[in-house]
Amino acid sequence: MVEKPRAEWSDEDKKKSNLYNVAKDILYKTLDKNMFIKIKTCSTAKEIWEKLTQLCEGNDQTKENKLTVSIQKFVNAKMKPGETMAEFDERFSNIICELIYLGKIYTNREISLKVMRALPRE
């Protein structure tokens, strides 16, 4: 693909270039220093997005490992001694959100039963 000189850009080309720069700017501004260092060599917004996707989501093997770990967290979830219901609810909700993000959906019935089993007898 040959890029046109700026002098030959149409209004549509200028609009696309501006949107492209806005997209890069948004991506740059939302990253912390550590993540920025990992993507600073990328030259396009698409390259940045693909690199971030790979870094955050990983490949299929990484996703499978994350799912396995999240399922184990769900299976082993128990209310800790001294933990309040609010704290347990937040921790358990985070586990459910992880599972949903990774594509594992439990029914409301399964979640309710797990919560009941996770509570201490008293």
Side-chain angles (χ1 to χ4, degrees):
M1 184 171 171
V2 178
E3 193 171 312
K4 289 193 264 184
R6 278 190 181 259
E8 296 176 16
W9 282 12
S10 67
D11 287 341
E12 186 67 25
D13 293 333
K14 291 175 185 176
K15 190 182 284 188
K16 285 181 183 178
S17 177
N18 185 48
L19 288 174
Y20 166 79
N21 289 330
V22 168
K24 279 180 61 174
D25 189 53
I26 290 169
L27 289 169
Y28 286 150
K29 286 182 178 180
T30 58
L31 299 175
D32 65 12
K33 186 178 179 180
N34 294 329
M35 287 300 277
F36 179 77
I37 289 169
K38 294 175 184 176
I39 60 96
K40 71 180 181 180
T41 58
C42 298
S43 58
T44 66
K46 184 177 182 192
E47 284 180 32
I48 294 168
W49 186 255
E50 289 172 350
K51 181 77 171 182
L52 288 172
T53 301
Q54 182 183 11
L55 289 169
C56 296
E57 293 181 6
N59 59 25
D60 289 340
Q61 183 64 42
T62 305
K63 289 177 189 176
E64 188 65 34
N65 290 341
K66 286 180 181 179
L67 179 59
T68 301
V69 169
S70 294
I71 290 172
Q72 280 305 111
K73 285 182 189 177
F74 178 82
V75 168
N76 296 327
K78 296 275 185 208
M79 192 168 176
K80 297 174 183 176
E83 186 176 39
T84 66
M85 277 301 294
E87 293 167 338
F88 173 71
D89 179 58
E90 182 177 345
R91 190 168 54 86
F92 190 75
S93 293
N94 288 336
I95 294 170
I96 297 300
C97 287
E98 280 179 37
L99 289 164
I100 291 169
Y101 173 74
L102 294 167
K104 178 69 174 165
I105 309 293
Y106 287 100
T107 65
N108 285 339
R109 184 175 191 280
E110 290 170 314
I111 293 170
S112 297
L113 288 172
K114 181 59 191 167
V115 167
M116 295 305 286
R117 290 185 195 119
L119 299 175
R121 289 196 181 271
E122 58 277 348

